[in-house]
Amino acid sequence: MAAVSGLVRRPLREVTVRDAINQGMDEELERDEKVFLLGEEVAQYDGAYKVSRGLWKKYGDKRIIDTPISEMGFAGIAVGAAMAGLRPICEFMTFNFSMQAIDQVINSAAKTYYMSGGLQSVPIVFRGPNGASAGVAAQHSQCFAAWYGHCPGLKVVSPWNSEDAKGLIKSAIRDNNPVVVLENELMYGVPFEFPPEAQSKDFLIPIGKAKIERQGTHITVVSHSRPVGHCLEAAAVLSKEGVECEVINMRTIRPMDMETIEASVMKTNHLVTVEGGWPQFGVGAEICARIMEGISKKLVLEYSQAVVNIMYLNTYSIKRLKARSVWHFSSRKYFKSKSRKSCVQFPGCSCCSCHWC
Amino acid sequence: SSIMTAHCSLSLPGSSDPPTLASRVLVASRNFANDATFEIKKCDLHRLEEGPPVTTVLTREDGLKYYRMMQTVRRMELKADQLYKQKIIRGFCHLCDGQEACCVGLEAGINPTDHLITAYRAHGFTFTRGLSVREILAELTGRKGGCAKGKGGSMHMYAKNFYGGNGIVGAQVPLGAGIALACKYNGKDEVCLTLYGDGAANQGQIFEAYNMAALWKLPCIFICENNRYGMGTSVERAAASTDYYKRGDFIPGLRVDGMDILCVREATKFAAAYCRSGKGPILMELQTYRYHGHSMSDPGVSYRTREEIQEVRSKSDPIMLLKDRMVNSNLASVEELKEIDVEVRKEIEDAAQFATADPEPPLEELGYHIYSSDPPFEVRGANQWIKFKSVS
């Protein structure tokens, strides 16, 4: 029996993130002749991380192009080709190398539609692994979500699982704007269940919409890319202690889906942001700043019972969410004061009536 | 009839007065040559067995067209200078007077379906690629009638098959190689002219572009507009090798007299034919000169002498060279060319009027054109209560 169980296959609907991206690119290459892929080792090597496996064999030299090690040069060539009407996918072996080419991404791609008064669009996709890998040292581990997310004119997406990866790469290729797709090397080999709709050739995930991966009532946990998995693991652990986390997978960094995050925070009154980037001037810092500024008008109308004129939250972005280190945040309601009890976690703080006290 | 002509011409008013009906009739009845053959300077060659021809034929029609175009660019740049000093144009303003033979000559050597990209000294190319002086001056003054609706300014003007206007030195060269890649990809026999200056020629990304263009045989003509100074730094102080036409190494190159429009035209035709035949990229160095400083904030005399500028003006001015050729070969008369001058002046005046009077783009449109093809969305302004609508 033990021998037989070893032969049991994984269910057929499971697809790794790598294969999902491969499928997405393959379908778009087939659908539109103007789409092509260029980057280091993407053709004959089948991709540095094998993400473009089989594509060169299928489409040939014209559409899958191996480049020399010249990031600034080939990123500029890709942007120029996009300006002239093609739809390039420009792969950076990792986004750390995109720093060599960042002028082309920002100044030549992102800003051009605006500066030309709407005359010159740049339908390009920049993709590649982003963030930390396994012990590759500082130069190869930077997360660029905050850097690229800072710039108007760019769209920035950060898929977590296979469904995200396929849907977002397809939407990115079909989008007429420059889109940065921040993948994750450690996720490439991870299999996920592929829902039936994701198997369609027209499966798209809209850019600019977050997904609530897990419903909860006590605390909102917002994340993107690989840390989403960690948040779900932490949520499972916390659930046993009676804390229900609402885990939001951002999917898109820019334009950020603040509505989903705000609605969740209105419900739970607590927020943790989790990311792979550095805390100062990071994605979490931006989310906190926007929450601190106050909810949008739309939500005031929808959630008039939970009126908070100014919500004051302290949040810290952390690399790993562990069961015991869930941080407690105080929200100060300006007009209503409730009975003041001193908090257990923050002695002396009596501004909220959360269940920790 | 020649005696009659002479008699009539004596009784005509001075040449500064607007031409009367009599002088027009005179001009029309005078026999001009249809075309003339000129000798042009031989180009220095790098990795090429043969170069462009050393003689060329100029038709009267083409000559008048080139004269008008060069004069328009000259007057437009001088008007921009004037408007800048009146503070009606602000920001950056890089003028190309002195380099008219480059933009007009290049355009004469290619088709409208070919592509062109250059750096920030772009007003002349914007005109030769098809935009009107009105649109250009209005863009310089930042008005809504400008070609980029007032949002680009001097360095970001776009037209069909003209990709600007690029502010970052050297960044346009890989872009141009990319446009050439698209030309090859589409298989339509088009070429891309990718321009950069002597200062930009030392940028690393240009060498990356050379490598890939040669590797993939892209139909890209790399053109170095060498006006001897990269901002305030002369070529001797910036480059270990000032033979810019050889810097492509494995890419063949030619060095062209950029003050002679016919030389530029022939070299461009030669280069375009080379690229169209599928042999890969080629490099052209145009030796030219700018009369103004690097930009309007540079007087242009701290790193070069006024004598040098004056010498170039008197000996090598491109408009003067063409004019002398045409008049001496009986392709046109002095009066006829003066007439063109007057018409051009008027056109520029009208355009400047428009550019000064046109309103600025409305503040509500500040957030427009952030994304292409997207539904409208809101953009945060200076604080969270100021919102702008963004329409694609």
Side-chain angles (χ1 to χ4, degrees):
Chain A
M1 289 306 281
V4 170
S5 67
L7 291 169
V8 169
R9 284 184 187 174
R10 274 189 263 118
L12 281 168
R13 278 188 316 144
E14 267 200 359
V15 174
T16 60
V17 173
R18 171 186 288 117
D19 290 338
I21 302 172
N22 187 290
Q23 256 182 50
M25 287 200 291
D26 189 358
E27 286 168 11
E28 293 307 301
L29 282 158
E30 193 172 334
R31 177 182 176 269
D32 186 350
E33 232 184 47
K34 296 203 223 94
V35 178
F36 70 98
L37 171 66
L38 90 169
E40 292 155 9
E41 311 298 348
V42 295
Q44 296 188 20
Y45 197 82
D46 269 338
Y49 302 101
K50 308 299 179 211
V51 178
S52 52
R53 180 169 36 211
L55 296 180
W56 176 66
K57 221 170 178 174
K58 185 170 174 186
Y59 295 101
D61 283 329
K62 180 180 173 185
R63 314 231 4 237
I64 313 289
I65 304 174
D66 271 337
T67 63
I69 308 177
S70 314
E71 275 77 11
M72 200 168 186
F74 72 69
I77 284 180
V79 174
M83 287 182 175
L86 298 182
R87 303 188 77 91
I89 308 169
C90 176
E91 177 178 305
F92 292 117
M93 199 180 278
T94 75
F95 266 95
N96 301 287
F97 315 139
S98 76
M99 258 204 280
Q100 306 247 320
I102 200 163
D103 174 65
Q104 298 288 2
V105 177
I106 306 299
N107 282 322
S108 302
K111 296 180 184 174
T112 295
Y113 192 69
Y114 186 84
M115 290 193 303
S116 65
L119 286 179
Q120 178 67 68
S121 65
V122 186
I124 188 171
V125 173
F126 297 100
R127 53 160 288 274
N130 175 60
S133 180
V136 292
Q139 288 180 343
H140 286 73
S141 304
Q142 187 167 336
C143 174
F144 286 83
W147 282 32
Y148 288 122
H150 186 57
C151 302
L154 266 193
K155 295 192 180 179
V156 182
V157 299
S158 184
W160 165 55
N161 62 9
S162 306
E163 187 187 335
D164 287 355
K166 183 174 172 185
L168 288 173
I169 191 84
K170 286 169 76 74
S171 293
I173 294 169
R174 293 192 196 189
D175 200 306
N176 286 336
N177 294 289
V179 184
V180 169
V181 182
L182 302 170
E183 300 159 7
N184 189 292
E185 195 212 317
L186 295 173
M187 295 305 292
Y188 280 153
V190 179
F192 289 92
E193 244 187 41
F194 227 39
E197 62 268 16
Q199 290 164 37
S200 146
K201 286 197 176 173
D202 282 315
F203 170 64
L204 300 172
I205 288 183
I207 295 179
K209 203 85 193 72
K211 182 182 179 198
I212 300 178
E213 295 287 349
R214 181 189 193 281
Q215 294 275 356
T217 47
H218 297 133
I219 181 166
T220 301
V221 183
V222 182
S223 186
H224 71 95
S225 190
R226 187 161 177 261
V228 173
H230 300 145
C231 294
L232 288 170
E233 284 168 20
V237 172
L238 284 169
S239 177
K240 297 196 187 98
E241 294 183 27
V243 177
E244 291 304 321
C245 299
E246 177 143 297
V247 178
I248 298 180
N249 172 7
M250 288 175 70
R251 284 179 163 179
T252 303
I253 307 290
R254 185 172 192 116
M256 209 186 319
D257 183 1
M258 276 315 291
E259 278 183 21
T260 304
I261 299 175
E262 281 172 354
S264 177
V265 172
M266 290 302 301
K267 188 170 71 167
T268 65
N269 287 332
H270 294 79
L271 172 67
V272 171
T273 66
V274 184
E275 62 184 300
W278 297 313
Q280 190 160 323
F281 301 107
V283 174
E286 174 65 17
I287 296 174
C288 295
R290 293 217 213 171
I291 295 285
M292 183 272 295
E293 281 185 337
I295 47 176
S296 59
K297 272 194 212 137
K298 185 170 169 216
L299 282 176
V300 171
L301 294 168
E302 286 181 10
Y303 290 92
S304 50
Q305 290 170 333
V307 165
V308 175
N309 272 4
I310 297 173
M311 286 191 3
Y312 181 77
L313 295 171
N314 281 326
T315 59
Y316 300 86
S317 72
I318 55 173
K319 295 238 167 90
R320 205 168 201 95
L321 187 64
K322 291 186 188 135
R324 285 176 176 265
S325 62
V326 174
W327 288 92
H328 158 67
F329 307 104
S330 62
S331 63
R332 194 168 285 151
K333 293 177 190 173
Y334 251 54
F335 292 111
K336 296 280 180 190
S337 62
K338 295 200 169 172
S339 63
R340 294 168 178 259
K341 275 200 240 170
S342 186
C343 176
V344 168
Q345 286 245 340
F346 289 85
C349 176
S350 58
C351 55
C352 76
S353 53
C354 66
H355 60 273
W356 289 104
C357 300
Chain B
S1 69
S2 60
I3 299 169
M4 196 172 85
T5 311
H7 180 69
C8 285
S9 69
L10 279 170
S11 65
L12 284 171
S15 56
S16 57
D17 293 346
T20 61
L21 182 61
S23 73
R24 278 185 213 276
V25 168
L26 210 61
V27 162
S29 68
R30 185 163 150 181
N31 276 336
F32 289 116
N34 243 349
D35 54 50
T37 307
F38 296 104
E39 269 178 27
I40 50 178
K41 203 160 134 190
K42 185 173 190 300
C43 296
D44 294 325
L45 300 175
H46 170 68
R47 285 186 189 264
L48 282 167
E49 292 301 315
E50 285 168 0
V54 292
T55 59
T56 180
V57 172
L58 175 66
T59 65
R60 176 176 141 79
E61 191 189 333
D62 279 345
L64 290 172
K65 185 174 81 176
Y66 302 155
Y67 183 84
R68 180 182 288 269
M69 283 173 84
M70 287 205 285
Q71 195 65 278
T72 307
V73 173
R74 172 72 57 94
R75 292 268 130 228
M76 179 177 73
E77 296 295 78
L78 294 178
K79 178 55 75 178
D81 170 274
Q82 197 182 43
L83 291 172
Y84 196 93
K85 287 176 176 148
Q86 294 174 297
K87 293 197 164 55
I88 299 172
I89 295 178
R90 283 144 62 225
F92 282 133
C93 193
H94 305 85
L95 301 176
C96 67
D97 52 317
Q99 298 182 205
E100 296 84 0
C102 295
C103 49
V104 179
L106 285 171
E107 189 63 34
I110 54 170
N111 307 323
T113 46
D114 289 321
H115 307 260
L116 195 148
I117 187 169
T118 184
Y120 46 77
R121 203 173 299 281
H123 308 158
F125 291 101
T126 316
F127 173 72
T128 54
R129 281 265 97 186
L131 290 192
S132 67
V133 181
R134 255 166 88 97
E135 287 173 291
I136 297 173
L137 286 181
E139 186 59 37
L140 289 178
T141 54
R143 308 303 163 98
K144 71 180 211 292
C147 52
K149 304 189 179 72
K151 293 170 88 173
S154 167
M155 300 191 295
H156 306 289
M157 304 195 203
Y158 295 81
K160 186 161 194 324
N161 296 341
F162 175 60
Y163 303 84
N166 289 277
I168 307 293
V169 173
Q172 76 277 10
V173 179
L175 293 183
I179 297 163
L181 186 129
C183 291
K184 184 170 178 181
Y185 195 100
N186 292 328
K188 284 202 206 132
D189 238 13
E190 293 162 2
V191 298
C192 180
L193 273 58
T194 303
L195 285 98
Y196 54 96
D198 50 279
N202 300 314
Q203 272 266 315
Q205 57 186 317
I206 293 186
F207 294 89
E208 294 187 11
Y210 287 162
N211 182 37
M212 286 184 269
L215 202 56
W216 301 331
K217 293 205 170 9
L218 302 180
C220 186
I221 307 176
F222 293 105
I223 300 169
C224 178
E225 256 182 308
N226 178 5
N227 59 20
R228 305 195 214 165
Y229 298 93
M231 201 153 143
T233 308
S234 69
V235 292
E236 299 80 40
R237 290 207 303 130
S241 160
T242 54
D243 290 332
Y244 294 102
Y245 71 113
K246 289 185 185 168
R247 296 278 277 266
D249 188 9
F250 36 78
I251 297 181
L254 38 146
R255 181 155 57 190
V256 180
D257 180 359
M259 301 306 261
D260 176 359
I261 189 184
L262 296 178
C263 206
V264 175
R265 181 182 75 169
E266 288 313 307
T268 310
K269 282 186 182 167
F270 174 85
Y274 181 95
C275 280
R276 278 189 239 277
S277 68
K279 295 198 190 105
I282 190 170
L283 217 158
M284 265 167 58
E285 178 189 340
L286 304 178
Q287 290 188 305
T288 183
Y289 199 83
R290 55 167 162 80
Y291 297 144
H292 269 85
H294 164 73
S295 72
M296 285 307 299
S297 47
D298 169 27
V301 287
S302 61
Y303 47 87
R304 53 186 193 173
T305 59
R306 286 184 208 273
E307 289 75 44
E308 183 189 286
I309 307 172
Q310 215 19 64
E311 191 186 346
V312 176
R313 244 191 227 280
S314 55
K315 296 210 180 113
S316 323
D317 184 276
I319 299 177
M320 179 192 77
L321 287 178
L322 180 66
K323 180 177 174 185
D324 288 346
R325 269 186 166 146
M326 287 182 68
V327 167
N328 293 341
S329 329
N330 199 27
L331 284 176
S333 69
V334 174
E335 291 82 27
E336 191 178 12
L337 296 179
K338 281 209 168 27
E339 212 179 301
I340 294 179
D341 288 351
V342 168
E343 282 167 21
V344 165
R345 247 181 251 258
K346 179 158 192 321
E347 186 190 344
I348 305 293
E349 258 322 306
D350 288 344
Q353 260 300 94
F354 171 73
T356 314
D358 201 38
E360 285 180 346
L363 190 60
E364 298 78 59
E365 292 183 17
L366 184 67
Y368 281 25
H369 310 122
I370 292 179
Y371 290 135
S372 164
S373 328
D374 268 16
F377 64 99
E378 262 186 357
V379 179
R380 181 206 156 100
N383 60 47
Q384 70 259 42
W385 300 286
I386 299 175
K387 298 262 191 243
F388 293 103
K389 190 168 175 209
S390 183
V391 169
S392 281

